[in-house]
Amino acid sequence: MDRFLTADDLAKSLRNDVYEGLTGTPKTLPPKWFYDERGSALFEEITKLEEYYPTRREREILVARAAAVAEATGARTLLELGAGSGEKTRLLLDALAGTLRTYVPVDVSGDFLEEAAAGIAADHPGLDVRPVVADHERHLHLLPGGERRLVAFLGGTIGNMPPAERVGFLGGVRATMSGGDFLLLGADLVKDAGRLVRAYDDAAGVTAEFNRNVLRVINAELDADFDPDAFQHRAVWDGAEEWIEMRLRSVRDQEVRVGGLDLAVSFAAGEEMRTEISAKFRRDRLEAELGAAGMEIAEFWTDADGDFSLTLARP
Ligand code: AVJ
């Protein structure tokens, strides 16, 4: 397995992210640290919630359009950023079976990747499965080249990046592309604010637990003493930026020690720390951002209700 990211790199970037985030105003934490084992399990639960439509809507589009993706791309290599092991990957691999030679799942977590890659290799004996441990925001240029590559970035995770970061990311993807390559991009769409907020603040409180879990990750990794129960989950729709913000609101004045950083941080009662943005898109915004990165839309598909989108883009 290619490894462009060592455990030491990860530990360093966690330290940087947490230091920068907790000493900034307002305080923030990057969402990539949500996904320890408990966080990943909680996210799996979120995907099954009635209020959280994106996963099932994206699956609906893939069931309807995977054959069209295969037809349009004739892909020989599939690079999946933030590799799922789930049904969406299998839908794509089955549809691409006629032309696909190589599957490159890319993820920051080596353990998860090893398991997912082994499962896929077992189910697709003829396929060359080459997992890569990398950060898709930094290592795109190191990913395997080849003819007729399809880069898949699904789930709407592009929405975790603010606009400036998205420009860099899409530019980075474009820089790896040549004629015959494609990008398959899953992006959640703008809709009624009430539905959006409920998708990030479900009645059962699973998303609230998912959000607070990042405090447990920091306690464990950086010897901190956050009390997750002293923070309330908030999901807010920012109509100007057209993104959902997940925040953790300090229920009282409190001081938190982060031993691993030799840092003490104070929170005022009511102070809100931002833990994630999840940007929502319109077709014209996607067209403009892909265009700015030197790509054009070959196909733009949505589910029947127009909740979610799958875009096939080419250089
Ligand atoms: C996995 C990043 C696409 O932004 O909808 C789900 C993460 N956060 N519920 C999203 C998430 C709260 C999800 N992504």
Side-chain angles (χ1 to χ4, degrees), residues 35 43 46 52 155-157 160 200 210 246 276 278:
Y35 302 92
F43 176 62
I46 285 171
Y52 189 78
T157 303
N160 274 176
Y200 291 85
F210 175 71
M246 287 218 305
E276 182 185 63
S278 195

Side-chain angles (χ1 to χ4, degrees), residues 31 34-35 42-43 46-47 49 52-55 88 154-161 186 188 199-202 206-208 210-211 233 244 246 276-280 308:
F34 279 141
Y35 302 92
L42 284 165
F43 176 62
I46 285 171
T47 64
L49 290 169
Y52 189 78
Y53 57 84
T55 309
K88 289 184 280 191
L154 302 178
T157 303
I158 182 96
N160 274 176
M161 298 177 204
D188 198 6
Y200 291 85
D201 191 9
D202 61 283
V206 180
T207 308
F210 175 71
N211 195 9
H233 168 67
I244 280 279
M246 287 218 305
E276 182 185 63
I277 65 164
S278 195
K280 305 307 171 187
F308 198 87

